[in-house]
Amino acid sequence: MNKILNPFEYLSTEKALGWGLAGTLFSICLLTAVSWPVEGDVSKIITILSSNLLLWLPLSLLLYVMALVLSPSRIRAVDIFATNLFAMLPTIVILGVLSLCSREYNKEAALPE
């Protein structure tokens, strides 16, 4: 039960990074499916990746710099970046699921012609 409540103690850096990247790809698939078929799928994917990058990168950099400044021990950047991406996994996936749900709601709410 403790592995579910606190996965950061049991999850390796590689697995955390893998799960974070998998969640990002899942979110891209959901958000691309929401607006399918529309021209410019590559630009949508780049937009989604850049928005996820803007959520993840500034916070990861801030945490890494603060760890370097405040921690007396040696800090690996990959640990901070991977665990931060894994921690953002629920947010990234929920944004994709909510966009899918809002598309279905907007279809049902559309006025008949």
Side-chain angles (χ1 to χ4, degrees):
M1 184 66 174
N2 198 24
K3 287 184 179 183
I4 295 172
L5 296 176
N6 191 3
F8 297 99
E9 290 184 10
Y10 302 99
L11 199 62
S12 69
T13 301
E14 293 81 19
K15 287 183 181 179
L17 186 60
W19 278 105
L21 292 174
T24 301
L25 291 175
F26 181 67
S27 174
I28 289 170
C29 291
L30 284 177
L31 291 172
T32 304
V34 165
S35 57
W36 188 267
V38 175
E39 294 297 321
D41 284 333
V42 173
S43 65
K44 281 189 294 185
I45 291 171
I46 291 171
T47 302
I48 296 165
L49 277 174
S50 64
S51 65
N52 286 344
L53 189 66
L54 285 174
L55 285 172
W56 168 65
L57 192 60
L59 181 60
S60 296
L61 285 173
L62 177 67
L63 290 173
Y64 181 62
V65 169
M66 293 303 293
L68 287 176
V69 170
L70 298 175
S71 177
S73 62
R74 189 170 154 237
I75 304 294
R76 292 188 330 164
V78 68
D79 292 333
I80 292 187
F81 287 100
T83 54
N84 193 13
L85 185 61
F86 180 73
M88 293 183 72
L89 184 62
T91 305
I92 291 170
V93 171
I94 290 298
L95 288 175
V97 170
L98 287 177
S99 66
L100 189 62
C101 293
S102 69
R103 177 183 179 210
E104 295 300 321
Y105 175 75
N106 288 337
K107 274 188 191 176
E108 292 174 5
L111 295 174
E113 295 181 18

